[in-house]
Amino acid sequence: MNLLFAGLVDYGPSGEIVPDLAERWELFDGGKAYRFFLRTGLTFHDGSPLDATDLQRSIERTLAPATPCPVASFYEPIEGVTAYRAGKAKAISGVVVESPHVLVIRLQKPDATFLPILALSPLRPVCKSGGRAYDDQFQQKACGAGPFRLTEWLPGQRIRVERFPGWHEPGKPYLDAIELSENVSRVTQRLMVERGELDGIFNEFERPGAIHFRTHPEWSKYFTEMPSPDVYGEFMNVHMAPFDDVRVRRAVAMAVDRPHLAKYYEGWARVTDHVIPPGIPGYDPGFHGQKTDVQAARALMAEAGYAYDPKTGKGGYPQTITYWAGPGETAIRAGTLLQYDLSHIGLRIEIKETSFAQFLAVVGRPKEARMGYGAWLMDYADPSDFFEPTFSSAGIAPEESQNWAFYSTPELDALLARAHGEIDQEKRLAMYREADRIVCDDAPWAFAYNTMRIELVQPWLRGYKPHPVWNRVFRNAWIDPAAREVGHAGLVGHKVKRALGSLLGRLAP
Amino acid sequence: MSLLRHLARRLAWSVFVVFVVTTATFALNRALPSDPARMVSGPQARPADVAKIRVQLGLDRPLAVQYAIFLQRIVRFVPRGVDPKKDPEFSSCWVKGRVCVDLGKSYQLRRPVAAVIADHLPHTVVLALAATTLSVILGVGAGVVAALRRNTWLDATAVGLALLGISAPTFLLGVLLQYVLAYKLDLLPLSGGGDGTLRDGALHLALPALTLGIFGAAYYTRLARDEILGLLRLDHVRTARAKGLSRARVVVVHVLRNALVPIVTVIGLDLGALLGGAVITEQIFSWPGIGTLTVRAMHDRDGPVIVGTVLVAATSVVLASLVVDVLYAFLDPRTRSR
């Protein structure tokens, strides 16, 4: 998506909001409206000019009632979207074309999350051939205004994109074409990269392969690991015993043996003890929200009336608690590690593996799941996305709640609402750091880890850097032909082939 | 019973089997504890967005209604004067001439399922034919040699290799061949379906066909050897030799011809099964066939594609079985009355 389509704004190399098709923007009407000034001379891949009416058309196309957009509700803060989505209005009143190069987007109220949400791909403009209504067949001939244009798409096999000469950054992108292979097994990808047939592997490693590349004297130079914008841990339902007692929740958060987790997850995840993950604005590397301290955890359990003697194994919470793990090895592994950690403070858990649908149904209903495997992956790069669905009353519903701990306090709700509308970024991030402190203290989750994004590129792929938000950004990447000629020590297959060829040559008459 | 009546009966039975398999798949697919709308919209999508997509996919209707619509629309004719590309009524169709094959639309790919299958099926057909040809040539050849050179080192080698072939699962054999022939020796491409040219396609086909071919050849070796050994002991073979016919003529005319009857049966059934998609082999070599499509659809819980691929697999097996029955009836008239 990122290769083919470009939007008014984008996420920069550090995850910050940067101009893209818009060269600048201004905020007015007390933070309730944005005026975007488009670059001049913008064109679509088909050569037709791109102006503000195309942006308006594309926004209305994506948010039309018949369009199956899975994140349409993200855009409801825009004035008139709700009525438009419900079929009560023919256009979005809050999206106004002031001139061919000026587009105004009005919000219902000041909203600091608007730009990070706008930077996502759904509202990016599509060519006039994409029309005013979404059409399934458009994807085959996808046409936008991104740095590359689609030249071939064999579903399930490969996608080929070529450099778009009309791209607004002079000289960029540097690569003439990119071919993305689909459905290639992880083992095969490893063999292909070693033989020089792939220019990179992006997060698709089998574990032995990742270890091989990480420890290889040559390959390790081209192997990168960076934390993904996500957070994992254990949720505790604050309305169900024993987790309705904050002391028990804090004890669980303290019992999680993070130094052990760090060893266990090495190279696959990094241990965390708070909400905001690295790469998200507001992340504070010096902040430690939940510290591991088993002695203190046992003291808290005793205070809560569940004293436990580790020597005799007597005491603790009298019932066995069901830990809802959902499907998959990762969740089971997390549950098993927790089971061991909690055995030191007198909490006994049994792990329940379920299908994902059942997991979502159970953990999303109040008073059904006492405890389970918690995970939140970034929707958009803003701290609000890590608090509002998971730790506020906005995420609580009779069914399909996203706040699996059912944790909310009026104070935190108010703080998050203020932060959501605060336009001053410094003040805003300070509020989210305060929210992080409150959540860690109230411990509706015991935070455990962020996963790592692992990438390997060939030595000849220059200028490529992993991006904190997007997977695979190739705008600055280029191929060094000299380095490609030289290859490197990993290309064993070619040596054997050369030797075989030479042998056959000698045997031939 | 006449051959025609026999054929009609078998055909009716085949249609019934395909119907039952498809119905069961449709029902089971919906009975699984997983929400396709959630799969389409993502695990964290907001409930309101998921609900909207559920309606757009038609998943809010009762299962019986969904199935009735599926059956009703499966094959239709496009009226004259209607452009199926522009008429939304035919948006989930794969159109050939005026005939519309409508298996619904893929949840994930947003394309007509029949068109998606039509993209993948030729790859699977080519792979199935190549693999079966290899299996038969290698297997029957080895079986004949083993039988005619019974209790020699040739026999022992053929039987030993066949045992090894049967014991080695395709995922092991495939990875091994990939590692040695493609990665180490760089003789063949590691994976993929090729760039569309005949030469490149053939090179990419070699490894998956060899994997399935070797695996299948092991069975044919055992089968051909046992059949031929049994036939060599029969009176008419001994008589033919006694009459002075050459050994080669006796083997080809009197032995191999009769041995082919059970071999043809197995070939037919094997081919039918392979046409349903060689799931593991296609996955190893990223061969863009029905097997790869099926695995991806299962992973994505893409119901219409799952039903479509099962329909293809069931039809392939049933048709192959039908063809074998007919061939059998030709070769052995006694079976017609059974």
Side-chain angles (χ1 to χ4, degrees):
Chain A
M1 292 293 270
N2 226 7
L3 302 171
L4 298 177
F5 299 98
L8 287 166
V9 294
D10 196 2
Y11 290 108
S14 308
E16 75 284 16
I17 298 296
V18 294
D20 202 6
L21 297 182
E23 62 183 356
R24 64 189 172 89
W25 64 86
E26 64 184 23
L27 201 54
F28 64 104
D29 197 9
K32 279 174 64 181
Y34 286 81
R35 181 174 285 117
F36 295 95
F37 298 90
L38 270 64
R39 295 174 195 276
T40 51
L42 290 174
T43 56
F44 282 115
H45 295 159
D46 60 7
S48 61
L50 186 165
D51 64 24
T53 56
D54 292 306
L55 281 150
Q56 185 190 43
R57 173 180 53 79
S58 300
I59 292 170
E60 289 182 348
R61 179 182 181 275
T62 296
L63 299 178
T67 304
C69 176
V71 294
S73 62
F74 283 9
Y75 300 99
E76 278 172 2
I78 300 175
E79 199 181 281
V81 164
T82 309
Y84 181 69
R85 294 270 307 150
K88 292 176 183 164
K90 287 190 174 171
I92 302 172
S93 58
V95 180
V96 180
V97 175
E98 280 195 345
S99 82
H101 290 287
V102 180
L103 184 80
V104 168
I105 299 181
R106 292 184 169 279
L107 308 177
Q108 295 179 44
K109 56 184 180 185
D111 189 335
T113 68
F114 175 65
L115 287 180
I117 289 175
L118 187 66
L120 299 177
S121 55
L123 298 193
R124 295 182 175 189
V126 298
C127 295
K128 291 171 179 71
S129 57
R132 302 191 72 81
Y134 168 82
D135 172 11
D136 285 337
Q137 291 180 16
F138 179 70
Q139 59 176 345
Q140 290 288 327
K141 45 186 191 306
C143 177
F148 293 89
R149 61 184 174 191
L150 183 69
T151 52
E152 184 188 35
W153 181 31
L154 292 173
Q157 292 184 59
R158 64 174 176 269
I159 298 170
R160 185 183 164 83
V161 296
E162 286 180 6
R163 179 176 186 271
F164 174 43
W167 177 242
H168 65 75
E169 288 179 274
K172 287 187 183 176
Y174 303 125
L175 295 172
D176 292 327
I178 302 171
E179 206 168 282
L180 302 162
S181 300
E182 291 183 88
N183 287 323
V184 180
S185 76
R186 293 176 176 205
V187 174
T188 306
Q189 285 191 48
R190 172 183 164 182
L191 300 181
M192 287 175 86
V193 90
E194 285 192 326
R195 246 176 51 164
E197 291 177 12
L198 275 186
D199 290 314
I201 304 179
F202 302 93
N203 222 22
E204 294 213 350
F205 291 87
E206 17 82 65
R207 208 157 179 175
I211 293 168
H212 165 73
F213 288 121
R214 188 187 299 115
T215 53
H216 192 282
E218 282 297 315
W219 283 115
S220 56
K221 296 174 195 165
Y222 311 104
F223 187 79
T224 55
E225 296 169 276
M226 73 185 298
S228 299
D230 56 30
V231 64
Y232 289 79
E234 332 298 343
F235 72 81
M236 293 165 268
N237 192 320
V238 300
H239 298 295
M240 295 178 78
F243 304 119
D244 51 355
D245 187 332
V246 69
R247 291 169 295 191
V248 177
R249 299 200 301 269
R250 284 178 185 152
V252 170
M254 284 179 171
V256 171
D257 187 351
R258 293 182 182 84
H260 176 235
L261 288 186
K263 282 186 204 159
Y264 186 81
Y265 287 130
E266 189 188 355
W268 179 80
R270 68 179 286 283
V271 165
T272 191
D273 51 24
H274 58 273
V275 184
I276 305 175
I280 296 297
Y283 168 69
D284 178 359
F287 174 59
H288 295 287
Q290 294 179 339
K291 288 173 189 159
T292 300
D293 186 342
V294 180
Q295 295 289 346
R298 273 201 287 267
L300 280 170
M301 287 292 286
E303 254 182 61
Y306 308 118
Y308 175 71
D309 181 358
K311 284 181 188 158
T312 60
K314 286 186 178 163
Y317 186 66
Q319 292 172 19
T320 300
I321 296 163
T322 301
Y323 175 89
W324 290 82
E329 187 194 333
T330 315
I332 302 297
R333 210 185 295 147
T336 310
L337 291 168
L338 183 75
Q339 199 171 38
Y340 177 72
D341 290 343
L342 296 190
S343 70
H344 298 129
I345 62 166
L347 275 175
R348 297 156 192 94
I349 62 170
E350 60 174 12
I351 301 163
K352 191 165 178 72
E353 188 179 8
T354 61
S355 71
F356 192 54
Q358 192 189 0
F359 175 78
L360 283 182
V362 170
V363 304
R365 282 185 212 123
K367 299 204 173 184
E368 276 217 22
R370 282 201 280 189
M371 181 181 223
Y373 181 63
W376 190 257
L377 285 70
M378 179 199 73
D379 292 313
Y380 51 91
D382 188 80
S384 61
D385 185 42
F386 286 85
F387 288 98
E388 289 171 17
T390 40
F391 302 114
S392 84
S393 52
I396 295 176
E399 295 280 341
E400 296 191 78
S401 299
Q402 292 182 313
N403 182 343
W404 297 340
F406 292 88
Y407 162 79
S408 72
T409 66
E411 296 75 24
L412 184 62
D413 277 359
L415 178 66
L416 294 175
R418 280 205 310 281
H420 195 109
E422 177 58 60
I423 302 303
D424 183 319
Q425 185 72 344
E426 276 313 305
K427 278 189 193 165
R428 186 167 182 263
L429 296 185
M431 289 180 195
Y432 283 115
R433 289 191 188 109
E434 173 61 11
D436 205 342
R437 195 196 56 72
I438 292 170
V439 171
C440 287
D441 193 43
D442 280 348
W445 280 36
F447 297 100
Y449 63 87
N450 315 116
T451 59
M452 300 294 280
R453 191 185 295 164
I454 308 170
E455 296 184 345
L456 175 83
V457 294
Q458 295 283 8
W460 53 76
L461 186 66
R462 312 274 198 199
Y464 176 82
K465 280 198 180 128
H467 194 278
V469 178
W470 300 123
N471 287 322
R472 299 173 296 195
V473 174
F474 292 109
R475 290 185 186 186
N476 297 315
W478 55 283
I479 298 279
D480 181 348
R484 191 168 211 164
E485 279 300 307
V486 174
H488 55 80
L491 304 179
V492 181
H494 292 288
K495 283 182 192 166
V496 177
K497 190 186 181 185
R498 276 199 298 275
L500 196 75
S502 143
L503 182 69
L504 291 173
R506 270 185 232 162
L507 293 176
Chain B
M1 193 188 293
S2 74
L3 182 63
L4 211 62
R5 255 184 92 187
H6 175 76
L7 188 65
R9 219 178 97 182
R10 297 295 297 153
L11 197 65
W13 181 245
S14 303
V15 171
F16 176 70
V17 169
V18 171
F19 174 77
V20 169
V21 170
T22 313
T23 309
T25 312
F26 198 93
L28 276 174
N29 191 43
R30 292 308 311 277
L32 290 175
S34 170
D35 180 0
R38 170 64 67 183
M39 293 299 286
V40 170
S41 35
Q44 291 181 184
R46 295 176 183 174
D49 293 324
V50 180
K52 200 143 196 157
I53 286 177
R54 195 171 291 126
V55 173
Q56 280 162 347
L57 295 175
L59 296 166
D60 56 328
R61 298 175 186 179
L63 182 61
V65 174
Q66 289 180 46
Y67 189 53
I69 292 170
F70 171 75
L71 286 182
Q72 210 175 35
R73 297 171 67 92
I74 208 159
V75 178
R76 287 176 287 150
F77 289 94
V78 182
R80 291 197 182 278
V82 172
D83 183 351
K85 282 183 185 162
K86 289 182 182 160
D87 192 331
E89 173 65 16
F90 298 99
S91 66
S92 50
C93 279
W94 178 64
V95 181
K96 276 280 158 193
R98 308 305 301 173
V99 179
C100 145
V101 180
D102 188 349
L103 298 174
K105 203 174 259 193
S106 157
Y107 296 153
Q108 292 288 337
L109 302 169
R110 311 292 303 179
R111 292 181 64 213
V113 171
V116 174
I117 289 175
D119 284 347
H120 287 75
L121 192 58
H123 290 95
T124 291
V125 171
V126 169
L127 176 60
L129 289 174
T132 310
T133 309
L134 266 175
S135 294
V136 173
I137 291 172
L138 294 176
V140 174
V144 170
V145 170
L148 298 181
R149 296 276 182 274
R150 195 184 174 198
N151 295 332
T152 65
W153 67 271
L154 276 171
D155 183 23
T157 309
V159 170
L161 285 176
L163 193 65
L164 205 66
I166 290 170
S167 318
T170 46
F171 67 81
L172 181 67
L173 192 62
V175 171
L176 199 69
L177 289 175
Q178 185 186 43
Y179 185 74
V180 176
L181 296 180
Y183 178 67
K184 279 288 179 190
L185 300 179
D186 199 14
L187 297 174
L188 292 164
L190 278 163
S191 77
D195 61 8
T197 62
L198 190 64
R199 184 182 173 278
D200 200 49
L203 283 174
H204 281 83
L205 172 67
L207 275 180
L210 205 58
T211 305
L212 290 170
I214 291 176
F215 188 68
Y219 284 99
Y220 289 109
T221 304
R222 299 288 297 252
L223 185 64
R225 180 183 178 276
D226 292 352
E227 277 300 315
I228 291 167
L229 282 179
L231 286 164
L232 283 172
R233 290 190 205 105
L234 292 183
D235 291 345
H236 75 278
V237 175
R238 209 173 297 130
T239 310
R241 283 290 283 157
K243 277 167 69 183
L245 290 181
S246 69
R247 185 177 162 85
R249 189 173 163 79
V250 170
V251 168
V252 173
V253 177
H254 296 283
V255 176
L256 256 187
R257 204 168 156 184
N258 287 321
L260 278 180
V261 176
I263 292 173
V264 163
T265 312
V266 179
I267 291 173
L269 295 176
D270 270 1
L271 197 61
L274 284 175
L275 286 173
V279 174
I280 292 169
T281 308
E282 287 189 10
Q283 279 289 105
I284 293 170
F285 298 103
S286 312
W287 185 254
I290 294 289
T292 303
L293 179 67
T294 309
V295 172
R296 201 175 56 190
M298 296 289 284
H299 182 262
D300 294 340
R301 287 283 288 112
D302 196 339
V305 177
I306 296 172
V307 173
T309 52
V310 168
L311 186 66
V312 168
T315 309
S316 304
V317 172
V318 163
L319 274 182
S321 167
L322 188 68
V323 170
V324 166
D325 273 359
V326 173
L327 280 177
Y328 226 76
F330 264 117
L331 295 169
D332 186 353
R334 288 170 301 176
T335 57
R336 291 179 211 171
S337 55
R338 279 179 206 161

